Amino acid sequence: MVCAAQTMCWHCHLCVPVLFSLLSLHHPMNHQVEEESFYRSLDEETIDVDCLLLEPRSDQVSVSGVWCYGEDSLAKCIKTENPTYNLGGRDSNINMEGVDTTILNAFDVFPHEVGVENLLTTNSSSCDNNTLDIGFDHGAFIGYVSNEALRLRSSQFPMENSFGIQNSLSENISGSECQNYLLSNGVFGTTTYPSVSKSLDRFDDFSNSFFDQETNQDLLPPHFSQNGLELTPSFQDGHTSTSSVEDHGGVGAVTHKRSRKPTKRYIDESSFESLQNAKKRREASSGSKAKLSGVRHVKSQNEVKPKEKKPSTEISFDKAIQVPFISHVPTEHQERNSPAKVENRIENYTSEPEDDSETMLKCMKSGNQRKHHRAWTISEVKKLLDGVAHFGVGKWTHIKKSLFSSSVHRTPVDLKDKWRNLLKASHALTGSKIEDDNKRNQSWRPLPTSILCRVRELASIYPYPQESISKISKSKLQLAQHISSPARVKSNKVLV
DNA sequence: GTTAGGG
DNA sequence: CCCTAAC
């Protein structure tokens, strides 16, 4: 079932020789390898297919080459109407010329400013079952299956479909911010047949790349392609295939993923109406809190105004970017970095460099953006514990002022939240079963047990207000019970 | 303004 | 980390 290195699997097209080491995939069906016809088709065409045999060496190029298959092969694919598509939105440099429209069913967007030159294309009518997975050593990855193929196969194979061009070379691509990868509104690419899914395990990174590590959310909002791209009318109007996947209902996994509810932030950013509604809600719920709602109201207005100024195309492009990637563009964020900021970051218990990742915060434009997540370092945790030990639980402003005065980004609320999380973690450590479960589900980084033990000690000394109240009430109840039943009091005394 | 707690 | 209620 494994293609030989010199063999081209005609149906799955996975055995491009140079990529064989990466993709030893084979179509699950026991079809004959049409090696001969493949090479014949290549010979008949004048297109240089050297790229098929060459491993891309340039770090600057993630996709460069021609993969063409189908009985009608290259000419038909390349010569198709020669439309021009601008797929990357306003700032995109990507123009695809002469790309078969079928591929645009799958390609909604490409890595930002990544050269996509001679694109894989296919004639879907002749390639009823095709999967082409191309993995570069640097991580550029294309998967594609035609909609036609999906229609034919979706009823036969439970498939997990996703289409991705993933570029792991963000640091190597000049000017690339790797904004987003692509697509999708029922368009997809990688078809993982049951028998090949194992081989695709190597590309976990690719699939993971579709999720924001922080928010654990799909980077691809459901209506990403519709709102986020600038497409020529011929594409938007002429192809209904973008809905074909969902229409045929063959890809539950994909539809499930893509139908995920957008985050609140996404909604807020993408929908002017929701902004208005939010304002209304806030106003409606303001009640006696007029002052608070007033503040929010101003915030909302600040949010809205820039949107109004934007041209529609820009808005659509912005909509497409839910979570911008790290950009090392210098920003004004230094405002939050006081010069005197001397923070001990030696003891990072995370690999997060803390290279002032607030760059990320500011690259997300101004306005009411969420504060960038900054992982707590061990030194910070220790400081917090010291503060709790010194001032007690709940004296967050004291702790902040005395111990975190240099940490501008740590507010008293942050300290409180961290303490709460530490309590959770320390409690989780107590029970062995819980501990196991947490190890499985542990999304947070492991804390040293010494710290957790200290947290528990402090928690016992300075119980959280709620807990103290509950404990007090419980103890009072117990006392009451004991009082009500003298026998138990006696026994209690004996025990004590 | 500060804190607790839900999300 | 945000938001809001409560103080």
Side-chain angles (χ1 to χ4, degrees), chain A residues 120 176 265 454:
Chain A
L120 158 71
S176 171
R265 185 175 149 245
R454 199 177 165 200

Side-chain angles (χ1 to χ4, degrees), chain A residues 104 131 148 171 195 200 239 259 287 323 336 356 407 423:
Chain A
L104 292 171
T131 301
E148 183 71 20
E171 71 277 13
S195 65
L200 283 175
H239 288 267
S259 63
V323 181
R336 295 178 53 188
D356 254 335
S407 302
L423 282 181

Side-chain angles (χ1 to χ4, degrees), chain A residues 11-14 23 25 27 69 102-110 120 122 127-134 141-151 153-154 159-166 181-193 196 200 203 206-207 210 220 241-242 244-246 251 253-255 257-258:
Chain A
H11 289 263
C12 62
H13 304 277
L14 295 172
L23 298 168
L25 310 179
H27 195 278
Y69 47 94
T102 56
I103 196 167
L104 292 171
N105 297 337
F107 284 25
D108 271 6
V109 72
F110 289 93
L120 158 71
T122 181
C127 301
D128 60 343
N129 49 356
N130 46 57
T131 301
L132 182 63
D133 293 339
I134 299 158
F141 176 67
I142 293 179
Y144 170 67
V145 62
S146 70
N147 292 322
E148 183 71 20
L150 182 72
R151 273 195 288 274
R153 296 291 166 189
S154 60
M159 295 185 295
E160 175 181 325
N161 293 286
S162 63
F163 173 73
I165 300 175
Q166 194 268 345
Y181 310 111
L182 60 133
L183 102 120
S184 189
N185 174 25
V187 289
F188 49 87
T190 306
T191 300
T192 306
Y193 292 114
V196 300
L200 283 175
F203 297 107
F206 298 139
S207 58
F210 289 91
L220 309 171
S241 56
T242 52
S244 63
V245 177
E246 292 171 354
V251 280
V254 166
T255 53
K257 279 184 180 178
R258 303 229 165 102

Side-chain angles (χ1 to χ4, degrees), chain A residues 213-214 343-357 372-381 409-410 418 443-448 451:
Chain A
Q213 297 286 344
E214 285 182 20
E343 191 166 348
N344 179 12
R345 287 173 178 172
I346 296 172
E347 294 184 84
N348 285 0
Y349 64 94
T350 133
S351 59
E352 184 164 330
E354 288 211 29
D355 51 358
D356 254 335
S357 31
H372 175 60
H373 171 73
R374 299 182 66 121
W376 277 71
T377 64
I378 284 186
S379 60
E380 283 179 316
V381 173
H409 57 282
R410 300 294 182 206
K418 183 59 183 175
S443 57
W444 60 81
R445 286 163 288 277
L447 276 168
I451 285 182

Side-chain angles (χ1 to χ4, degrees), chain A residues 45-47 68 72-83 97-101 121:
Chain A
E45 302 301 330
T46 59
I47 293 179
C68 187
D72 296 329
S73 93
L74 300 174
K76 188 170 181 178
C77 301
I78 298 294
K79 290 177 182 175
T80 304
E81 303 207 325
N82 197 29
E97 296 187 5
V99 176
D100 189 334
T101 53
T121 180

Side-chain angles (χ1 to χ4, degrees), chain A residues 55 92 236 248 267 289 311 313 326 343 384 394 398 411 435 438 470:
Chain A
E55 193 170 358
S92 173
Q236 290 180 313
H248 293 275
I267 295 171
K289 299 151 292 192
T313 55
I326 291 177
E343 191 166 348
L384 176 61
H398 293 339
T411 66
E435 182 184 4
N438 282 330
S470 62

Side-chain angles (χ1 to χ4, degrees), chain A residues 393-394 396 416-417 419-420 423 459 462-469:
Chain A
V393 172
W396 308 119
K416 180 260 304 179
D417 286 339
W419 175 254
R420 193 167 50 164
L423 282 181
Y462 306 102
Y464 218 61
Q466 181 83 1
E467 290 181 359
S468 65
I469 292 171

Side-chain angles (χ1 to χ4, degrees), chain A residues 41-60:
Chain A
S41 69
L42 291 181
D43 291 337
E44 289 170 359
E45 302 301 330
T46 59
I47 293 179
D48 179 14
V49 293
D50 285 346
C51 55
L52 280 172
L53 306 175
L54 293 177
E55 193 170 358
R57 298 294 181 190
S58 170
D59 287 343
Q60 302 298 321

